[in-house]
Amino acid sequence: RPDTGLETAVRFPADFLWGAATASYQIEGAVTADGRSPSIWDVFSRQPGAVANGDTGDEACDHYHRYREDVAIMSSLGLRSYRFSVAWPRVQPTGRGPANQAGLDFYKRVLDELQNAGIEPWVTLYHWDLPQALEDAGGWPNRDTAERFAEYAAIVHKEFGDRVRFWTTLNEPWVSAMLGYHNGVHAPGRREPAAALASVHHLLLGHGLATSALRSQDPGATVGITLNLAATSAATDAPADLDAARRIDGLANRLYLDPLLLGRYPDDVVADVAALSDFSFVEDGDLETISAPIDMLGINYYTTNVVAAPDGSPPDPGSPHPAAEDVRHIGRGAPKTAMGWEIDPDGLYRTLKMVADKYPAVPLYVTENGAAFDDEVVDGVVDDPDRVAYFDSHLRACHRAIAAGVPLRGYFAWSLLDNFEWAFGYDKRFGLVFVDYRTQRRIPKTSARFYADVIARNEVW
Ligand code: PNW
């Protein structure tokens, strides 16, 4: 990699957990194998116009059949940990009732392979593939889904609890609720703001109930949740801009952090959305359940928000922020990734610092961070200097946070493989490893070599 001579080497703590992450629907394929039933993504991706190019997860990276090769790639990169998700519809095809052993057996095979490779498994119980049968019964706006989730979590933990130390209940409840039920960009594609707010609560409740189920089965388990967080700032110090930042910070960050870590919903956010919901879905005891202590908090970080006050222009119909569709999203003018997301490594530092400063101490992990760029294979090689620079700068931000006292314990690159990037289909490539979807050939990118070197040296140099 180019030696600019401008940066100094930064060394990470000896026990820092280095990994990479994936999610079931994004990589597995084999959507009808061994008794798996449809998830909301199988159904949603078939709706015309829902996903770019009409792509679906039917084959994805065929990881269901190629997991051995994929674990071998993880070994070659020296990953210490691998974060993956379990597909609920493989384990409980209708979202309730007895476990489907054939579905569990797939993850058993993956865990065997990881164990042989000496790679620490990190299980996410829910990364958005809700059994369609539960959506048909009302989905996350329905309180019963939280109970069903806890039951499913207990099944998975009972089966794998002896071999898995790290458990994430939910990945990014903000995305599930707001993209799934408010702007409809993700499955199940509903545009019902009141239902989206009920989903927030039932997702968090599901997290709390699952956490307590896991603890009762193994008091020693390391249990937490992953949130996508983004430090949010105002375009100027004008009071109206500051208020816009307060609103978006409330909807994107505090609506999740406050109930989980402080045991209450933020009053200002509840007031902001009062015309949509009276929060009557909150029952006695729910906030105690939701705020039961966690052992770690996962943070997924991609970019930040810079916002300004409404200026009278029409509200954004695609906004993921209920009752804040009029807030203007202003860039900082920084270079963007292929997702159109501005690259702001300092934003990762600010996000970590915000959590550490404003909330009771909890070990933090960056459970996802990465970037899509327009990768190309040239002579069998995928050279991705932009992604190398992205990882380099964001890892330096992590190191600065640790030096400032933030209890950051590990980092997971998103993603191990190029994969099904939700509404963007296979167009957007986030992998350390390139996937040729015609042949399923895997080609580690330059960034994979870079990351392997970082792990081996335990430093960015
Ligand atoms: C995360 N947004 O999703 C997910 O956890 C991954 O599955 C996904 O592939 C990755 O980030 C890259 O997108 C997000 O609209 C999707 O702000 C959308 C948003 C944020 C995160």
Side-chain angles (χ1 to χ4, degrees), residues 425-442:
Y426 297 100
D427 277 357
K428 302 293 182 226
R429 296 179 174 274
F430 274 90
L432 292 164
V433 176
F434 184 93
V435 176
D436 179 334
Y437 295 108
R438 286 163 310 152
T439 60
Q440 290 295 350
R441 179 160 169 234
R442 276 87 162 122

Side-chain angles (χ1 to χ4, degrees), residues 40-45 128 175-176 179-181 184-190:
I40 54 176
W41 271 95
D42 296 273
V43 173
F44 179 75
S45 62
W128 310 350
V175 173
S176 290
L179 273 51
Y181 294 92
V185 166
H186 278 194
R190 288 166 58 179

Side-chain angles (χ1 to χ4, degrees), residues 22-23 26 83 127-128 171-172 174-175 179 183 185-186 226 228 300-303 305 320 339 341 367-372 414-415 419-422 424 428 430:
T22 63
Q26 294 183 275
R83 172 178 179 256
H127 200 127
W128 310 350
N171 181 68
E172 303 186 350
W174 177 85
V175 173
L179 273 51
N183 72 6
V185 166
H186 278 194
T226 277
N228 55 307
N300 292 353
Y301 175 83
Y302 290 93
T303 190
N305 302 313
M339 296 295 282
W341 298 347
T367 39
E368 288 179 24
N369 175 239
W414 183 268
S415 176
N419 59 48
F420 176 78
E421 177 50 32
W422 307 114
F424 296 88
K428 302 293 182 226
F430 274 90

Side-chain angles (χ1 to χ4, degrees), residues 372-415:
F373 289 105
D374 295 322
D375 302 313
E376 263 181 80
V377 188
V378 178
D379 299 331
V381 171
V382 182
D383 192 28
D384 57 344
D386 291 342
R387 190 175 287 102
V388 171
Y390 186 98
F391 282 126
D392 181 288
S393 59
H394 286 73
L395 287 170
R396 288 176 188 278
C398 288
H399 188 271
R400 268 199 295 134
I402 295 169
V406 173
L408 178 65
R409 305 279 191 253
Y411 175 95
F412 290 75
W414 183 268
S415 176

